[in-house]
Amino acid sequence: MSLVGEMDNTYFKYKDVCFHPASHNEEDLRHVEHEFQVLDDDVFNVTYPKSGTVWMIEILSLIHSKGDPTVVKSIPNWDRAPWIETKKSLEKLKSHQSPRLITSHLPVQVFPKSFFSSKAKLIYTARNPKDMMVSLYYFAKMSSIYDDPGSFEQFLDAYLEGADFLYGSWFDHVKGWMELKGKPNFLFLTYEELQQDLRAGVMKVCRFLGQDLDDKSIDLVVENALFKNMKDNKMANFSSLPPGYMDQEKSKFMRKGITGDWKNHFTVARSENFDLVYQEKMKDLAAMFPWE
């Protein structure tokens, strides 16, 4: 079995973080970090993979259109809010009108340096790492940028043992970005709070962005950002990607969109082991998060 962390013939490292040459190269990553010019009205959607990335793209797109779903149903999400670290996105962003919506999985140490002296706003969404692991496992089964993950137990054990994964460790990613918590242009959200009360989450994002939407517009944002509507939207569910990127016969990109699915995958022993690793790695931040 080939585990995702073995770096056998695919990944490369930039500043000790793994990337895939099908989507990234060192020259572009260096350009993003050192030369990309962030604009003061840019809005960044930053996550660790499988933590609500596409959901936040939909929310931000709909807030921008005041709830009108025309854009989210006619333009692919990767064109609406390009991933800044991918090869094609830098060209796309040159033609995007302000305010630009920009997505990224980059850890803080690789992020554009110009952001930190700008007024641009950044939303960081985190997810219960156990649910993230389940979602990432199924994504690895269907995505061409991952090797065969084997069983869930093998995948989880490799992760906790420190194998190299794309974009690095969840623990390092979250800890790095949490250093910005409390800054006026940084909003921290969790996947769980959006699940619990999407309307309240949308209103929080609106306040952060200075967007004064009326009740009808808020209702439209919420309705069109529901998982069931996104799952059926070809502009959000990645079903319109060219063949070869994802095999959605193996697993749908949008699978369940729930919280707590980890309980269907973790044994008691593995859950307890995960908790021990989590407490050790997140001991200074653990109280900040709402998950079980």
Side-chain angles (χ1 to χ4, degrees), residues 144-169:
S144 63
I145 62 173
Y146 284 84
D147 293 332
D148 178 5
S151 69
F152 177 72
E153 289 76 14
Q154 290 169 315
F155 185 75
L156 177 62
D157 289 348
Y159 200 96
L160 293 181
E161 288 165 8
D164 288 310
F165 275 68
L166 291 175
Y167 294 103
S169 156

Side-chain angles (χ1 to χ4, degrees), residues 253-264:
F253 177 81
M254 291 188 164
R255 205 173 54 88
K256 291 185 177 180
I258 61 173
T259 58
D261 193 34
W262 67 267
K263 296 173 186 177
N264 299 317

Side-chain angles (χ1 to χ4, degrees), residues 264-283:
N264 299 317
H265 295 77
F266 280 68
T267 64
V268 172
R270 279 193 163 81
S271 178
E272 291 175 349
N273 182 51
F274 189 99
D275 291 343
L276 290 173
V277 175
Y278 178 90
Q279 290 299 328
E280 174 60 28
K281 291 183 177 293
M282 305 296 286
K283 55 189 174 185

Side-chain angles (χ1 to χ4, degrees), residues 39-167:
L39 305 178
D40 283 340
D41 59 356
D42 283 343
V43 177
F44 287 91
N45 163 34
V46 180
T47 61
Y48 190 79
K50 311 312 294 178
S51 300
T53 320
V54 170
W55 199 4
M56 186 54 64
I57 291 177
E58 214 74 355
I59 291 169
L60 290 171
S61 299
L62 288 160
I63 289 174
H64 185 66
S65 69
K66 301 190 184 305
D68 182 349
T70 303
V71 170
V72 301
K73 292 182 177 181
S74 60
I75 301 175
N77 50 22
W78 59 84
D79 284 337
R80 286 183 263 129
W83 273 253
I84 191 174
E85 61 266 24
T86 61
K87 294 177 181 179
K88 296 179 180 179
S89 292
L90 289 170
E91 286 301 317
K92 289 179 184 176
L93 285 168
K94 290 178 181 178
S95 61
H96 274 221
Q97 294 183 341
S98 294
R100 300 182 299 185
L101 301 180
I102 305 172
T103 299
S104 182
H105 292 315
L106 289 174
V108 68
Q109 71 270 24
V110 187
F111 208 68
K113 292 188 180 299
S114 60
F115 167 78
F116 300 97
S117 59
S118 75
K119 296 178 181 178
K121 296 189 175 182
L122 189 149
I123 299 168
Y124 187 86
T125 309
R127 186 181 190 181
N128 182 329
K130 291 181 180 178
D131 276 334
M132 179 280 297
M133 285 301 308
V134 171
S135 185
L136 186 62
Y137 171 70
Y138 284 100
F139 183 64
K141 287 173 72 73
M142 55 84 80
S143 172
S144 63
I145 62 173
Y146 284 84
D147 293 332
D148 178 5
S151 69
F152 177 72
E153 289 76 14
Q154 290 169 315
F155 185 75
L156 177 62
D157 289 348
Y159 200 96
L160 293 181
E161 288 165 8
D164 288 310
F165 275 68
L166 291 175
Y167 294 103

